[in-house]
Amino acid sequence: LELKIPNRSQQCRAGSRSTTGAMVRAECVGGAVLALRLGLAAGIDNGLGISPPMGWRSWNLYKDHVDQELLESIMRGFAERRRMVDGKPTSLCDLGYCDVGLDDAWQVCKSDNTPGHMYHYHDDQGRPLVNTHRFPNISNMTRTAHSLNLTAGWYLNNCICSEQSWTPNEVYEQDVHYLADVFEFDGVKLDGCGKQMDLDLWASLINKTGRRIMIENCHWGQTVPTQTWCPWNFFRTSDDITPTYGSVIANLQTTIKWAREGLARPGCWAYPDMLEVGVDGLNDAETRSHFGAWCIVSSPLTLSHDVNDDSVSDAVWPVISNKEAIAVNQAWAGHSGSPFKESGRWIALKKKDWNGRWVDVWVPSWQFFYKPLPGGKVAVLLMNHAGWDEDFTLYTHDVPGIECHPCRVRDVWARSDRDDVEGELKTRVTSHDSAFFVLSPAREAQPRTLLA
């Protein structure tokens, strides 16, 4: 398996809800349906999202405490080669994380009782109202991204001071005009808070601009794709994530349905929300498992941490710069990744609900995930969700799609080979940690690293 890093991050689109909130089925927008990689999947014809997108967004760490100076400093942090990978100075963009996205709090909010004002963050002509104290020149911000060979993402259908009255097409049109023509963004997150819920309309208007723009459907699993319909590049499957192991695992479970139904695919990736790697709340084992889980289910890899904080970046660098884990994430061989075996014993993990209250999340005490890879290889992730250590035995005949006697074993976390195995692989996994392997037939002459 070879890791191929695109120059700029790529992504795809999925399903939509009408402005009335009813589920609707629609034609793919923009004319022809794009055939991706030998017809494995269908999506809109923007050419994006062939592999899971990689980048960063502001919300998890900064919430509404964002401004242009911060975003531009993050952009520079993504382009600078401050750390080493395989003995070479390497930037986050060198690894594939090339998109930096603004997530809410760019707008001026008008109150409901503002005299004569129709909208909350648009003027009466439907034009978006930018908070120029925070963002004095958004066009300069996107030009900064482009000068660093990065892409820049915006955010619409905002949650802060959301538009709760009916919004005519003219408001969509003005948003898209500013998105593509005025500010020249390369991607957009379309949230689910306001009344602008028509993703077909969004996609149609964006396609008409002629600018290739990645579309994220952030409708929290309420607007979903079909086999023939996906007018976005990736779609949220879950509620918002928080930096607790219970939240991470709860969100992970929401990808399983889409993988098993074949609806998470190139051009239409299932997305259980941003990574909490480097955001205070997860220990080292949980950080590793979180990243490995997003990799093996082909989720977009959206970082959230302060890339300019050296202590945080040093701590997470061995995980987020693991080229072999990224290679598993970026590969496609017909299935996006799902559990093939799990414990019959269920346990309660803790997460916070929308109101900030701690609630129980019931999950199997352990799960084994798999993802087929090109060349007859299969990645497996053995996850221990329990509060105690586990001795796992992986029987190779249980792993879908692998036939090997013996099997070659590549340890992804250690980036080293283990002894070949005949039929079973034994490993001890501590609480909330994971073991990450790639299995392949040992009888074939194969390179000794996953990436060679």
Side-chain angles (χ1 to χ4, degrees):
L1 176 64
E2 180 182 2
L3 174 61
K4 295 181 179 178
I5 303 289
N7 288 332
R8 298 200 171 182
S9 65
Q10 299 176 322
Q11 309 176 10
C12 146
R13 317 173 184 176
S16 106
R17 200 172 268 272
S18 71
T19 51
T20 64
M23 292 301 295
V24 295
R25 188 168 183 265
E27 299 300 322
C28 290
V29 235
V33 173
L34 176 65
L36 299 174
R37 292 195 178 178
L38 303 179
L40 291 173
I44 59 171
D45 58 345
N46 66 1
L48 302 175
I50 306 302
S51 57
M54 299 170 62
W56 182 93
R57 274 199 177 268
S58 58
W59 183 259
N60 279 9
L61 183 62
Y62 295 103
K63 301 294 189 287
D64 60 342
H65 303 295
V66 291
D67 57 32
Q68 184 168 336
E69 182 180 3
L70 171 67
L71 267 290
E72 290 181 355
S73 74
I74 295 292
M75 291 170 180
R76 289 189 290 271
F78 268 73
E80 292 172 359
R81 295 186 172 96
R82 301 177 184 174
R83 291 171 179 80
M84 307 292 282
V85 175
D86 298 333
K88 297 179 180 179
T90 302
S91 71
L92 284 163
C93 189
D94 290 335
L95 294 165
Y97 306 99
C98 293
D99 183 73
V100 175
L102 174 59
D103 201 328
D104 216 336
W106 55 261
Q107 67 272 35
V108 170
C109 293
K110 300 290 186 180
S111 64
D112 287 329
N113 57 7
T114 302
H117 198 75
M118 297 172 60
Y119 305 113
H120 283 179
Y121 65 92
H122 296 87
D123 67 17
D124 288 351
Q125 286 70 49
R127 294 173 297 203
L129 296 171
V130 175
N131 184 334
T132 54
H133 294 291
R134 290 188 175 195
F135 295 92
N137 194 321
I138 286 184
S139 295
N140 278 353
M141 186 179 76
T142 58
R143 279 194 287 269
T144 296
H146 298 156
S147 72
L148 296 168
N149 200 32
L150 304 175
T151 54
W154 205 23
Y155 173 92
L156 292 167
N157 199 32
N158 304 23
C159 286
I160 297 174
C161 65
S162 59
E163 300 293 6
Q164 289 303 316
S165 59
W166 177 73
T167 50
N169 286 8
E170 288 76 13
V171 179
Y172 287 84
E173 290 165 359
Q174 289 288 357
D175 280 344
V176 170
H177 171 60
Y178 276 80
L179 168 73
D181 303 325
V182 178
F183 298 145
E184 297 186 325
F185 280 103
D186 310 286
V188 62
K189 174 179 177 178
L190 300 174
D191 217 326
C193 293
K195 294 297 186 181
Q196 293 176 276
M197 298 288 282
D198 190 337
L199 294 177
D200 291 308
L201 178 57
W202 280 118
S204 177
L205 291 172
I206 289 169
N207 273 5
K208 287 177 183 176
T209 69
R211 186 173 184 84
R212 285 155 45 94
I213 292 177
M214 191 84 70
I215 300 178
E216 174 188 346
N217 157 11
C218 184
H219 288 185
W220 317 310
Q222 299 175 47
T223 302
V224 296
T226 70
Q227 291 290 350
T228 59
W229 178 66
C230 186
W232 53 80
N233 297 109
F234 58 113
F235 65 103
R236 272 280 293 279
T237 59
S238 65
D239 294 342
D240 287 358
I241 197 170
T242 59
T244 64
Y245 189 72
S247 177
V248 167
I249 301 309
N251 280 27
L252 174 64
Q253 307 308 305
T254 67
T255 67
I256 296 171
K257 167 185 172 67
W258 312 110
R260 289 177 173 166
E261 294 182 6
L263 294 175
R265 73 258 193 189
C268 191
W269 301 107
Y271 179 45
D273 206 357
M274 294 169 274
L275 289 160
E276 293 281 12
V277 170
V279 178
D280 190 37
L282 301 178
N283 62 33
D284 290 346
E286 293 166 345
T287 293
R288 189 163 41 246
S289 292
H290 179 16
F291 189 77
W294 266 230
C295 285
I296 205 158
V297 299
S298 306
S299 169
L301 300 179
T302 308
L303 301 171
S304 303
H305 68 288
D306 182 356
V307 301
N308 295 313
D309 184 320
D310 285 338
S311 62
V312 171
S313 293
D314 288 344
V316 301
W317 186 255
V319 176
I320 64 174
S321 69
N322 187 315
K323 286 186 174 182
E324 300 190 21
I326 295 171
V328 170
N329 173 262
Q330 297 287 288
W332 179 252
H335 179 71
S336 60
S338 63
F340 65 93
K341 195 172 185 179
E342 60 188 26
S343 171
R345 177 179 182 179
W346 286 61
I347 60 170
L349 301 174
K350 294 288 187 181
K351 63 167 282 189
K352 287 186 176 180
D353 66 12
W354 286 99
N355 298 311
R357 298 172 299 195
W358 288 100
V359 296
D360 288 337
V361 176
W362 289 92
V363 297
S365 65
W366 53 262
Q367 290 179 297
F368 294 175
F369 284 75
Y370 85 105
K371 180 182 177 181
L373 305 175
K377 301 178 183 182
V378 178
V380 294
L381 185 73
L382 314 183
M383 303 191 72
N384 179 13
H385 303 322
W388 55 85
D389 298 351
E390 287 275 14
D391 291 308
F392 288 144
T393 300
L394 173 67
Y395 296 99
T396 56
H397 63 76
D398 288 337
V399 181
I402 190 73
E403 294 184 9
C404 47
H405 308 284
C407 289
R408 175 167 289 172
V409 181
R410 179 72 176 176
D411 188 325
V412 174
W413 290 144
R415 298 191 65 191
S416 64
D417 292 307
R418 292 176 57 132
D419 293 338
D420 294 350
V421 297
E422 285 277 4
E424 64 182 42
L425 170 62
K426 295 182 180 293
T427 191
R428 186 171 183 81
V429 178
T430 60
S431 172
H432 294 184
D433 209 340
S434 58
F436 202 173
F437 304 117
V438 171
L439 306 179
S440 58
R443 65 179 178 271
E444 298 178 4
Q446 296 194 28
R448 299 302 292 177
T449 72
L450 181 63
L451 299 172

